[in-house]
Every structure is written in structure tokens, then in C-alpha cells.
């Protein structure tokens, strides 16, 4: 007989993970990194590995513990990528750890890295967008509140002008299914 931990004993991370696993019908691998900001807890990266039906999907957990005056909701990040390269998974935790409390992560926000994200791609920046497809927009994390999920869309730094010219929604529409392709051509 398999025993499950009762809900009242679960940590906020376990609640968060459980909801995401139920939603995506898959198990997540979890990675932890020590906080670079004093008095803030660890940053966790939850990775749902790529399969024939879906891209690799990565979620942060730890961003919602930091506040920013321009951030209106408690936010966590996700990223979808058609790649097996774990660099894509770890960049979510890295950006969360480095920028929490300093960046509001509002929709339309541009995050420039100044270098390629991975060896197999020349994408070198991100734009924050509302979550797409089958990912829930809000998740409960067991702290009597909900966390809003926002997606990091990998872009080329030279596409920032196109985003401003076309508007974020039109830019996303023009990318279509290629938005998760690490080797896509710039728009």
C-alpha cells in the first residue's frame, strides 16, 4: 500500500509542484539553488522533460517570495522549449535568482542576457508574455494565495524593435509554432 502525505503536511513547494504535475499530467524534476539575495529562500526550478507530445517546460519557484513596487501580483516564471539542452531549464532559475526583487517581470518586459542562452541557439534575450497553451495562468502554492504564471519567450535582441513596432500580441502570432524552436530564424 502506498501512503500519500496529507495536504496539511505539504510545503508550499509541494502544493505548487502537485498542481503543475496534475495540470501537465507528468512528473517534474526539481533543482535547487542557493539564493544570491540575503533573507530570501532558495530558488527551485521544476522541469518537465520534453516528449513527443510537448516541449520541455520549466517553472520557477522562489520569485513570488520577493516583492517589487511595480509588481502587482505574486509571480512565477515558465519557459517552453523544443530542446533537450538543460541550459534552457536552468536559465529560468538563474534569472529568477538574479533578478527577483529588482525586476517586476510584467508582461512585455525585455530581459537582455548579452550572450547566447545555449550552444545550439543564437537566442540571447527574453520577453515576458502571458502563459500560452495548456499551462494554467494561476496556481495555488499552499500559502493561502495564488501565484500568477508568466512565460519567458526567448528572442533575438534585434527583435526588440519588431516587438515595439508590431506589438507583443502580433509578434507572438507571427512566431506561431516556431516560438519554442531554439533554432528559429529572427523575425
Amino acid at each position: 500500500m502506498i501512503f500519500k502525505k496529507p495536504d496539511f503536511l505539504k510545503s508550499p513547494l509541494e502544493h505548487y509542484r502537485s498542481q503543475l504535475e496534475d495540470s501537465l499530467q507528468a512528473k517534474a524534476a526539481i533543482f535547487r539553488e542557493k539564493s544570491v539575495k540575503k533573507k530570501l529562500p532558495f530558488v527551485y526550478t521544476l522541469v518537465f522533460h520534453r516528449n513527443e507530445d510537448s516541449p520541455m517546460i520549466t517553472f520557477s519557484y522562489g520569485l513570488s517570495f520577493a516583492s517589487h513596487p511595480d509588481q502587482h501580483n505574486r509571480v512565477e516564471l515558465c519557459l517552453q522549449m523544443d530542446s533537450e539542452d538543460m541550459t534552457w531549464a536552468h536559465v529560468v532559475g538563474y534569472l529568477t535568482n538574479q533578478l527577483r526583487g529588482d525586476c517586476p517581470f510584467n508582461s512585455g518586459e525585455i530581459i537582455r542576457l548579452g550572450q547566447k542562452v545555449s550552444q545550439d541557439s543564437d537566442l540571447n534575450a527574453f520577453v515576458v508574455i502571458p502563459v500560452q497553451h495548456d499551462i494554467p495562468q494561476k496556481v495555488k502554492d499552499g500559502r493561502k494565495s495564488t501565484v500568477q504564471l508568466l512565460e519567458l519567450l526567448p528572442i533575438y535582441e534585434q527583435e526588440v524593435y519588431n516587438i515595439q513596432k508590431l506589438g507583443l500580441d502580433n509578434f507572438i502570432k507571427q512566431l506561431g509554432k516556431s516560438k519554442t524552436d531554439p533554432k528559429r530564424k529572427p523575425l
Side-chain angles (χ1 to χ4, degrees):
M1 177 181 265
I2 298 176
F3 291 101
K4 289 176 75 175
K5 186 186 268 189
D7 279 350
F8 68 90
L9 289 177
K10 289 182 180 178
S11 70
L13 173 63
E14 288 172 311
H15 280 280
Y16 181 74
R17 176 186 186 180
S18 173
Q19 285 203 0
L20 291 172
E21 286 179 344
D22 289 347
S23 176
L24 298 173
Q25 297 296 303
K27 293 288 182 194
I30 297 182
F31 300 91
R32 179 179 77 171
E33 71 183 79
K34 188 176 179 182
S35 178
V36 296
K37 311 257 174 152
K38 290 185 178 186
K39 299 185 181 180
L40 286 176
F42 288 107
V43 169
Y44 295 90
T45 306
L46 288 75
V47 180
F48 293 86
H49 292 285
R50 181 179 178 203
N51 60 39
E52 64 273 351
D53 298 333
S54 67
M56 175 174 55
I57 305 173
T58 305
F59 296 89
S60 69
Y61 187 73
L63 180 58
S64 59
F65 288 91
S67 61
H68 187 281
D70 294 333
Q71 198 174 44
H72 308 296
N73 299 311
R74 293 180 53 238
V75 172
E76 291 295 344
L77 303 173
C78 76
L79 172 81
Q80 299 182 64
M81 191 53 61
D82 285 323
S83 177
E84 300 285 333
D85 187 351
M86 288 299 288
T87 307
W88 290 106
H90 293 297
V91 76
V92 175
Y94 174 79
L95 291 174
T96 298
N97 202 357
Q98 297 296 318
L99 300 177
R100 65 181 172 169
D102 296 329
C103 178
F105 292 102
N106 291 323
S107 188
E109 188 101 27
I110 304 291
I111 300 167
R112 291 177 171 90
L113 288 179
Q115 65 184 33
K116 300 187 317 183
V117 176
S118 77
Q119 295 299 318
D120 68 342
S121 174
D122 289 329
L123 294 162
N124 61 353
F126 294 94
V127 62
V128 179
I129 63 172
V131 289
Q132 309 282 307
H133 304 295
D134 299 335
I135 298 173
Q137 292 186 353
K138 294 190 179 208
V139 177
K140 291 183 180 180
D141 70 351
R143 291 187 289 167
K144 298 182 182 175
S145 61
T146 57
V147 174
Q148 179 183 357
L149 292 176
L150 291 171
E151 188 170 343
L152 291 173
L153 175 62
I155 61 171
Y156 294 95
E157 198 167 331
Q158 67 259 29
E159 291 177 322
V160 171
Y161 175 73
N162 290 341
I163 293 170
Q164 293 168 343
K165 189 171 108 181
L166 297 169
L168 186 57
D169 290 336
N170 287 333
F171 178 79
I172 295 168
K173 283 178 189 169
Q174 284 195 5
L175 282 179
K177 293 184 180 192
S178 72
K179 79 178 196 97
T180 60
D181 181 1
K183 297 180 183 188
R184 73 173 177 82
K185 302 288 182 223
L187 276 185

